[in-house]
Amino acid sequence: MSVLTVLPGATPAGEEPPDTGERHRLTAVTGLAALSLDAMASVAYGPEAIVLVLAAAGAHGLGFTLPVTLAIAGLLAVLVASYRQVIAAFPDGGGSYAVAKAHLGARTSLVAAASLVLDYVLNVAVAVTAGVAALTSAFPALYGDRLVLCLVVLALITAVNLRGIVESAKVFIVPTVVFVGSIVVLIAVGLFRSGPVSTATAAGHASVLADNATTVGALLLLKAFASGCSALTGVEAIANAVPSFRVPRVNRAQRAEVALGAVLGVMLIGLSVLISRFHLQPVEGVTVLAQLADASFGHNWAFYVIQFATMILLALSANTSFGGLPVLLKLLARDNYLPHVFALKADRQVHRHGVLALAVVSAALLVFSGGDTNTLVPLFAIGVFVGFTIAQVGMVRHWRTERGPGRRGKALLNGLGGLLTGVSAVVVTATKFEEGAWLVVVALPLLVAAFVAVHRAYSRIGERLALGRIPETPHRDRSLVIVPVSSLSRLTSEALTAAASLGDEVRAVTVCYPDPEDRTQMHALERSWAEWDPGVPLVGLVSERRSLGRPIAAYVREAAAEEPATRITVLIPETEPERLWQRLLQNQRGAVVAHAVRRETDAVICRLRFRLL
């Protein structure tokens, strides 16, 4: 006879290993698809933002497009290197919030969290409106329905994310590959062109070059750099969502971060080289990316593939927020800065409440803006620069406390990144203040104040509950159970049986009104009660007003005053109908009584559900 020994934690032969939830987490590839869409899609508006600023200096100013882009690519490299360090140092996720909490104090961490929350919400609204704008540009007849289209797209993305982050990543892999592949092919083909194949897209559109061109000075280059840094939004998303990756989480997240930086850097530099190569000038009503596609491929099917892929990826880039914000909300809830419901997980490792909250707030922004991208863009990117800066400064403090080789070089790298992103945050805020950036400046402290208020409330609750301290030894008190009744039925019998099981003494109470008809019903109930004789006294409560809950609550208060050492429970019997729609037939008396007793007494409320099967 053989004996099979199963070690603790092992899986017996022939049985599948228990599901630990890892299959619902991200690999490096799916993580790149789920969390990098925001950054990838930014190549559609990042180079254009640079060109539009430099256009103030005329054709001469446009010659600085590549140098500015190279500076942004350098900052991208610094950020990627820094966030690889953040991933390793803070594997529980949270990005700049976690860094600031550990090294810069609670208030600074709340500023970082608030900036990330605003950035994530605005990213959803901007991404959806930009994607729909691309669609309405191709089909002008849909322009009047752009708000409805925005809400439909948002609903679809929300539904996909409620099924789990892995499922959403699988959905977004194909459009991500198509977009990146199209841009890379566009760049490769364009590099072999001596000049633009076609300019049909820009024909007939007015140029935005300034007539009275300014000189190319440090301030103009700084503005162009700050505007182009909008292409860096989303770089932090992977560091915020490290727990969403499969084990080894840190290694997978770091590989995804490096891949994001490499692909984004190649696309940004490649597009800027083509802008300089084709001497492209920005025009009204046509994007820079559309002009580049026209110049490289000509006005044919390849041009439309680029436009369609851009439209799809812009709309779907909102998924970056759905991957990162729920994790951040979970961390805030865990630290008592948000309601604890945001820390709960549903099936498939989904923070459902975080996903739904993001969808609701984003929908409100879409309605507020009327589905117009230009209304939201001035608010975008400020929050992420604040988060970048806080994370970099926090990592400088981190390396001061760590020991090991290379920490000075790493601290210097983070310090340089913090300086660059801090300057960018100031410049973007100053230049976009009157265009709506003031809303972000106001919203940040308000959001921090909300976090503090929630934390204080939880602190008071914890103090009242004596959390963290050993409580008194449990003991048994005398108990009184009060059961509201209105007639004799099987429900009444079940309620009294349950009450007798719960308490030392049971009393049934019924409310009577002075109307003759009500008094007649009361006398009939008393006679039936005496005939039935359940061994429980029936107490009649006379109420001058036609109120049900208040007389019962008043009786409970009187009983508590007469017997202060007695625990009082109000057991409310209710029927649960067989069909859902039949609940509309109920009179809701139980809810009325429960509300009054809860509001006016300290009694325990027990609602007995009697199923009508």
Side-chain angles (χ1 to χ4, degrees):
M1 181 180 68
S2 62
V3 178
L4 176 64
T5 302
V6 180
L7 297 176
T11 302
E15 295 186 14
E16 295 184 0
D19 182 11
T20 60
E22 288 300 309
R23 66 188 181 91
H24 294 301
R25 298 183 187 272
L26 299 171
T27 63
V29 174
T30 55
L32 188 64
L35 301 173
S36 69
L37 293 176
D38 178 18
M40 296 295 186
S42 66
V43 301
Y45 51 80
E48 184 164 1
I50 299 172
V51 170
L52 290 175
V53 173
L54 294 177
H60 178 62
L62 294 177
F64 289 86
T65 301
L66 182 57
V68 171
T69 303
L70 289 174
I72 293 173
L75 177 57
L76 172 63
V78 172
L79 289 174
V80 168
S82 176
Y83 275 104
R84 284 189 77 255
Q85 298 168 6
V86 172
I87 291 169
F90 299 91
D92 290 334
S96 59
Y97 168 69
V99 176
K101 179 186 173 186
H103 299 293
L104 300 177
R107 286 300 176 94
T108 305
S109 71
L110 293 182
V111 174
S115 67
L116 285 173
V117 169
L118 290 175
D119 179 62
Y120 277 135
V121 173
L122 285 167
N123 173 58
V124 173
V126 170
V128 171
T129 55
V132 171
L135 177 64
T136 56
S137 297
F139 303 97
L142 298 176
Y143 184 77
D145 300 321
R146 63 189 185 281
L147 177 57
V148 175
L149 291 172
C150 286
L151 294 176
V152 170
V153 171
L154 176 62
L156 290 175
I157 297 173
T158 302
V160 170
N161 278 274
L162 287 175
R163 287 191 55 80
I165 191 168
V166 168
E167 280 70 15
S168 68
K170 291 177 180 177
V171 170
F172 299 142
I173 284 178
V174 173
T176 303
V177 170
V178 171
F179 177 79
V180 173
S182 300
I183 298 298
V184 171
V185 172
L186 183 154
I187 294 170
V189 171
L191 290 176
F192 286 97
R193 304 290 190 190
S194 58
V197 175
S198 170
T199 57
T201 303
H205 293 268
S207 174
V208 299
L209 288 181
D211 294 330
N212 51 346
T214 61
T215 58
V216 179
L219 181 59
L220 182 68
L221 293 177
L222 194 59
K223 287 182 178 179
F225 174 81
S227 296
C229 280
S230 60
L232 303 181
T233 57
V235 173
E236 79 291 348
I238 293 175
N240 292 339
V242 178
S244 298
F245 285 83
R246 294 180 187 176
V247 291
R249 310 195 199 287
V250 170
N251 291 340
R252 292 183 188 274
Q254 286 181 327
R255 288 200 296 269
E257 185 74 42
V258 172
L260 168 60
V263 173
L264 181 57
V266 167
M267 290 193 295
L268 288 175
I269 295 174
L271 292 176
S272 295
V273 169
L274 293 187
I275 291 173
S276 300
R277 187 181 187 86
F278 295 143
H279 304 290
L280 185 144
Q281 296 183 5
V283 297
E284 294 181 359
V286 179
T287 65
V288 168
L289 186 59
Q291 292 186 65
L292 288 176
D294 197 25
S296 292
F297 296 126
H299 208 72
N300 51 30
W301 63 269
F303 167 82
Y304 288 102
V305 168
I306 292 287
Q307 294 304 103
F308 187 74
T310 303
M311 177 194 71
I312 295 296
L313 203 74
L314 277 169
L316 297 183
S317 64
N319 195 68
T320 298
S321 296
F322 282 98
L325 182 60
V327 176
L328 175 62
L329 297 184
K330 179 202 74 172
L331 296 177
L332 288 168
R334 187 191 64 186
D335 295 336
N336 295 331
Y337 289 112
L338 279 179
H340 289 167
V341 69
F342 288 108
L344 300 179
K345 277 186 179 181
D347 295 336
R348 301 173 182 269
Q349 301 295 317
V350 178
H351 294 94
R352 182 172 297 164
H353 295 89
V355 170
L356 292 175
L358 175 58
V360 170
V361 177
S362 300
L365 272 176
L366 291 174
V367 173
F368 167 76
S369 66
D372 182 23
T373 308
N374 294 328
T375 304
L376 297 169
V377 167
L379 312 179
F380 196 40
I382 297 176
V384 76
F385 281 128
V386 173
F388 281 162
T389 304
I390 291 175
Q392 303 286 333
V393 174
M395 288 304 294
V396 172
R397 295 286 298 272
H398 172 76
W399 294 121
R400 289 179 60 184
T401 60
E402 289 291 315
R403 295 185 180 276
R407 60 188 183 91
R408 290 186 178 180
K410 294 176 181 178
L412 182 62
L413 179 69
N414 294 138
L416 175 62
L419 176 63
L420 294 175
T421 55
V423 170
S424 299
V426 173
V427 172
V428 172
T429 303
T431 55
K432 303 292 184 181
F433 190 82
E434 295 183 356
E435 300 177 39
W438 63 270
L439 285 174
V440 177
V441 175
V442 172
L444 267 175
L446 289 179
L447 202 51
V448 171
F451 293 155
V452 172
V454 171
H455 191 269
R456 287 175 178 170
Y458 273 127
S459 297
R460 289 194 295 268
I461 293 171
E463 185 66 26
R464 294 289 299 274
L465 294 177
L467 295 178
R469 300 195 295 270
I470 298 177
E472 298 178 357
T473 304
H475 60 279
R476 178 180 174 81
D477 289 333
R478 182 180 180 277
S479 57
L480 167 64
V481 182
I482 298 174
V483 183
V485 299
S486 58
S487 61
L488 290 188
S489 65
R490 185 180 172 187
L491 177 63
T492 307
S493 176
E494 291 287 340
L496 295 182
T497 300
S501 303
L502 292 175
D504 299 316
E505 180 184 356
V506 179
R507 300 178 195 171
V509 298
T510 186
V511 179
C512 177
Y513 306 109
D515 297 345
E517 181 181 353
D518 292 312
R519 286 194 171 276
T520 300
Q521 292 178 353
M522 175 66 181
H523 294 321
L525 178 60
E526 289 175 340
R527 288 194 299 270
S528 299
W529 196 274
E531 182 179 351
W532 182 37
D533 191 19
V536 174
L538 176 65
V539 180
L541 306 176
V542 180
S543 176
E544 296 297 328
R545 298 182 178 180
R546 301 198 68 85
S547 174
L548 179 63
R550 289 183 179 179
I552 296 175
Y555 180 76
V556 172
R557 288 200 305 271
E558 292 175 4
E562 292 174 359
E563 303 179 66
T566 299
R567 299 275 182 171
I568 300 179
T569 299
V570 179
L571 189 146
I572 304 171
E574 297 175 298
T575 59
E576 185 173 317
E578 183 178 3
R579 306 292 183 185
L580 181 63
W581 68 269
Q582 292 174 344
R583 295 185 181 183
L584 299 174
L585 307 178
Q586 296 177 298
N587 55 25
Q588 307 301 322
R589 291 166 60 93
V592 172
V593 173
H595 176 72
V597 172
R598 182 182 295 107
R599 184 181 60 186
E600 301 180 20
T601 76
D602 294 327
V604 176
I605 299 173
C606 178
R607 302 181 73 168
L608 175 67
R609 299 285 187 178
F610 182 71
R611 295 184 176 181
L612 301 176
L613 301 178

